[in-house]
Amino acid sequence: MGQTNPLKLSSTNLISKILEHEGLFCEHIPYCFSTKIFADKYPIIKEDLSKITTEPSFPLSFTMSKNSLLRRTISVPNLVSYIQLLSVYEQNWIALADKAVSDNSESKFNLVVPFSYNTNFKSSIRKRNNKFVGYKVKLNIDIANCFDSIYTHSASWALVGKENAKKIFNKSHDMDPSLIPLYEIGDKIDRATRKLNGDQTNGIMTGPYSSYLFAEIVLSEIDRKLTELEFAFTRYVDDYGFYFYSKADAEAKIEVIASIFREYNLSINSSKIKIETYPYDLLDDFGSAFENDIKNNNLYAVLHKALSLYKQEKKGAIKYAFKMLLAKGDIDSLDQTVLNMILGIVINIPEVSSLGIQLLEKPTDKRFLIKNEKRINQLLSRELQERHDHESLWLLYLLTKMGLPIDVDNLKRAIKTENDLLIIMCLDSIQTNPYNIYQYTGKSKNYFKKIKDLISCFTEEIAIISNLIKNEDYTGTHWLLAYEVAFNDLRLGKKVKIYESKKRNFYKILSENDVSFYNKIK
């Protein structure tokens, strides 16, 4: 199976690498949205963008499933605010890289890890087996709602210590002047991070790569405090594994660990506390589990095993199976049962939706998808009515990408969500393939034969879109919709003009350099 290497960040490439591989859009967003064009043009336009006044902005947000009961919010930050935040990291990279180093971390601060990267899990397990030999018990802990709980002021706390940060902030007579430069870096990160989210101090957004960088700074400092207390542990982002010689010792130390987290306004997720007795840190060799079935083209068995492992809390099993199928599987031989299983996984296990959609796109024989068009439209209708943004995005992408018929009522519902991403995809579907859109009259499908008849169905929706982008400045929630509608001429009716205050040339800078964040789905 091919492997994409993690990318090492530096003071000269941080912004360009993040824009190229992460950008504004995390892996949970259909890949028709991208910052790659912007990344290519960034060296030319960065000076002009840097002149735009920084003001508090508001992100575009959507929800995706967190578990069977709850959903999490994923955010797409404002472009100008995001670039200015990344600039703070890039300009102060050397100082930050020295501070955000933790020997206990398996999620390194200086790496961008693309979604296609096959994590070096085997190596991590080997290191743990060597490092923690002899311990009888492992205590697994994670931080409750980690990103949502991080206080933006904690950047300075992590860089100089909480008490020192307070002394510098209050200009106390006993503050340490030598720490002021580091404190000011933390303060810049704090201010720039807040400007992504309406100047809020409580919580950092889930989605942007900058949040991962911020969390690693804070958690690396917590790691140092835990190390000073002689804890033996490892960490991957906010998941901790502590090692003890007895279960009683592990249980007794939970409150000590919790008290360290509380210093940074963080708390333990009590529902996920788990104590394992030796043997622990066993290697899940998914490759061996799936290899023979893939070789024998028994792809149903691969997915069945992956789902069984997933149900046993082996969370990486499905992602690994999908990657193996993409790399080695005979995709053209996928039968209807297998394809239906993949579609079910896309709907119910959102963290692997991107890979699942790639599998559904692969077969040259599209009869399965054509046969399932009605079912996919029904699923899309249900997800839209439930306000399940993430599932709706991928189902609409699948219908559009595969050139499948789309129910006009689904497009109407999608526009009424007022979600920029869904609206842009809807407008693309209407303009790119209008004769593939139908409406039900009784029990029969009627396809539109005239574009004007199709557009006449969207009177209410056109008013919604116009209202969303009317006077939408670059700091607003719907800046992306306003820009793409104008730049790509994604409109239903009269030509759209976008508003821009005097002395702000954001839209102009982008359009004059042919920057778009949306690749039309073909």
Side-chain angles (χ1 to χ4, degrees):
M1 186 162 52
Q3 180 162 310
T4 303
N5 292 323
L7 306 159
K8 197 163 185 179
L9 298 176
S10 71
S11 59
T12 59
N13 72 5
L14 182 141
I15 295 177
S16 62
K17 291 298 181 187
I18 290 177
L19 288 176
E20 183 180 349
H21 294 277
E22 288 286 335
L24 296 174
F25 310 108
C26 66
E27 71 268 14
H28 302 302
I29 295 174
Y31 21 79
C32 50
F33 294 95
S34 170
T35 53
K36 286 190 177 178
I37 294 175
F38 178 72
D40 290 339
K41 299 293 179 69
Y42 180 67
I44 302 169
I45 62 179
K46 68 178 182 179
E47 186 175 344
D48 290 331
L49 286 177
S50 68
K51 296 175 183 176
I52 297 176
T53 306
T54 309
E55 295 180 9
S57 60
F58 298 89
L60 183 168
S61 297
F62 65 93
T63 66
M64 66 179 286
S65 176
K66 184 175 184 180
N67 53 47
S68 59
L69 298 174
L70 299 172
R71 297 184 70 79
R72 62 161 55 96
T73 298
I74 306 294
S75 296
V76 178
N78 175 275
L79 179 65
V80 175
S81 299
Y82 192 53
I83 292 298
Q84 291 175 346
L85 171 58
L86 293 181
S87 296
V88 174
Y89 282 105
E90 189 171 83
Q91 291 162 11
N92 298 284
W93 182 253
I94 294 174
L96 291 171
D98 285 343
K99 289 293 291 184
V101 173
S102 168
D103 292 336
N104 305 83
S105 176
E106 295 177 356
S107 48
K108 299 300 183 184
F109 178 73
N110 64 339
L111 297 179
V112 172
V113 181
F115 187 54
S116 56
Y117 172 62
N118 300 317
T119 54
N120 202 7
F121 187 64
K122 291 183 181 180
S123 175
S124 296
I125 292 293
R126 284 179 176 273
K127 287 178 181 177
R128 292 182 206 171
N129 291 158
N130 289 324
K131 187 174 182 179
F132 302 112
V133 62
Y135 288 96
K136 298 180 182 299
V137 172
K138 182 183 179 185
L139 168 66
N140 296 295
I141 282 175
D142 76 1
I143 296 172
N145 301 313
C146 182
F147 283 16
D148 290 336
S149 301
I150 289 177
Y151 193 43
T152 62
H153 295 338
S154 63
S156 295
W157 301 351
L159 293 177
V160 301
K162 192 171 183 178
E163 290 305 314
N164 287 323
K166 287 182 176 181
K167 288 178 181 179
I168 294 171
F169 177 78
N170 293 319
K171 299 181 180 178
S172 300
H173 69 278
D174 58 342
M175 69 178 184
D176 184 347
S178 68
L179 296 176
I180 291 176
L182 263 181
Y183 171 86
E184 289 177 343
I185 292 172
D187 188 53
K188 287 177 182 177
I189 293 172
D190 172 11
R191 292 173 185 273
T193 300
R194 281 189 277 133
K195 284 183 177 177
L196 294 186
N197 199 19
D199 227 13
Q200 293 183 40
T201 58
N202 292 323
I204 59 177
M205 296 186 297
T206 300
Y209 200 76
S210 58
S211 295
Y212 164 77
L213 295 175
F214 194 118
E216 200 64 23
I217 291 171
V218 174
L219 297 178
S220 291
E221 176 62 16
I222 290 174
D223 288 356
R224 279 188 281 277
K225 288 182 175 292
L226 292 168
T227 301
E228 288 170 3
L229 294 175
E230 298 185 344
F231 281 102
F233 69 99
T234 187
R235 172 177 63 80
Y236 184 82
V237 191
D238 63 330
D239 292 323
Y240 283 82
F242 293 88
Y243 298 82
F244 297 93
Y245 290 111
S246 71
K247 185 178 179 182
D249 193 18
E251 290 173 342
K253 291 296 176 22
I254 291 174
E255 177 53 34
V256 177
I257 295 166
S259 68
I260 300 297
F261 289 162
R262 281 197 293 270
E263 290 181 29
Y264 289 84
N265 291 359
L266 301 173
S267 59
I268 291 174
N269 186 341
S270 58
S271 67
K272 289 191 176 181
I273 295 174
K274 181 180 177 183
I275 296 178
E276 300 176 89
T277 55
Y278 188 83
Y280 43 72
D281 288 339
L282 300 175
L283 183 63
D284 293 317
D285 192 356
F286 298 138
S288 297
F290 305 139
E291 189 73 44
N292 285 336
D293 288 323
I294 287 180
K295 194 178 294 183
N296 295 325
N297 214 34
N298 190 355
L299 306 188
Y300 173 78
V302 173
L303 291 181
H304 187 77
K305 285 180 181 177
L307 286 167
S308 297
L309 289 165
Y310 183 86
K311 201 162 187 177
Q312 297 169 38
E313 307 250 333
K314 309 293 185 183
K315 297 299 185 183
I318 295 175
K319 183 176 179 181
Y320 200 98
F322 276 3
K323 286 185 176 183
M324 285 191 74
L325 288 173
L326 285 167
K328 297 182 177 182
D330 181 3
I331 306 299
D332 275 327
S333 67
L334 294 180
D335 63 28
Q336 186 157 331
T337 302
V338 172
L339 289 162
N340 274 321
M341 287 179 74
I342 295 170
L343 184 59
I345 292 169
V346 166
I347 294 295
N348 293 296
I349 306 176
E351 61 264 33
V352 295
S353 292
S354 173
L355 294 170
I357 291 292
Q358 287 180 54
L359 282 168
L360 292 176
E361 288 180 23
K362 286 285 185 182
T364 53
D365 185 348
K366 306 300 181 189
R367 282 178 294 180
F368 154 76
L369 290 171
I370 294 170
K371 286 179 182 178
N372 279 268
E373 165 269 309
K374 182 177 179 181
R375 180 61 180 145
I376 297 171
N377 269 289
Q378 288 173 340
L379 288 170
L380 176 57
S381 175
R382 186 198 67 186
E383 300 300 333
L384 285 166
Q385 290 180 60
E386 294 291 329
R387 298 301 297 240
H388 292 169
D389 304 325
H390 178 261
E391 297 88 335
S392 300
L393 280 166
W394 281 110
L395 286 170
L396 181 56
Y397 174 85
L398 181 63
L399 287 168
T400 307
K401 179 69 176 179
M402 296 295 98
L404 300 176
I406 302 176
D407 187 339
V408 72
D409 287 335
N410 277 335
L411 296 176
K412 289 182 176 184
R413 291 188 189 99
I415 292 171
K416 287 177 180 176
T417 64
E418 299 190 2
N419 179 285
D420 283 24
L421 306 177
L422 276 167
I423 293 173
I424 290 169
M425 291 169 67
C426 285
L427 295 177
D428 182 17
S429 296
I430 293 166
Q431 290 199 346
T432 301
N433 208 347
Y435 305 113
N436 222 23
I437 298 168
Y438 64 84
Q439 65 181 165
Y440 277 106
T441 305
K443 293 185 178 180
S444 62
K445 289 179 184 176
N446 286 320
Y447 288 85
F448 290 90
K449 295 180 179 179
K450 296 180 180 178
I451 294 178
K452 67 176 184 178
D453 292 338
L454 174 60
I455 292 176
S456 68
C457 291
F458 289 92
T459 304
E460 183 181 349
E461 289 72 29
I462 291 170
I464 289 172
I465 296 170
S466 298
N467 188 57
L468 291 177
I469 65 178
K470 182 181 179 182
N471 298 335
E472 185 71 344
D473 202 352
Y474 76 96
T475 58
T477 304
H478 299 289
W479 73 267
L480 180 65
L481 177 62
Y483 178 71
E484 292 298 337
V485 165
F487 181 78
N488 281 312
D489 201 20
L490 296 173
R491 59 192 171 89
L492 301 174
K494 295 180 180 179
K495 189 170 181 65
V496 175
K497 293 183 179 180
I498 51 178
Y499 167 81
E500 191 142 49
S501 301
K502 292 180 180 179
K503 298 182 181 178
R504 295 175 183 167
N505 297 311
F506 173 59
Y507 294 131
K508 184 179 179 182
I509 293 167
L510 296 180
S511 61
E512 286 184 348
N513 287 277
D514 293 322
V515 172
S516 177
F517 303 94
Y518 180 72
N519 302 312
K520 291 189 177 185
I521 305 171
K522 298 176 182 178

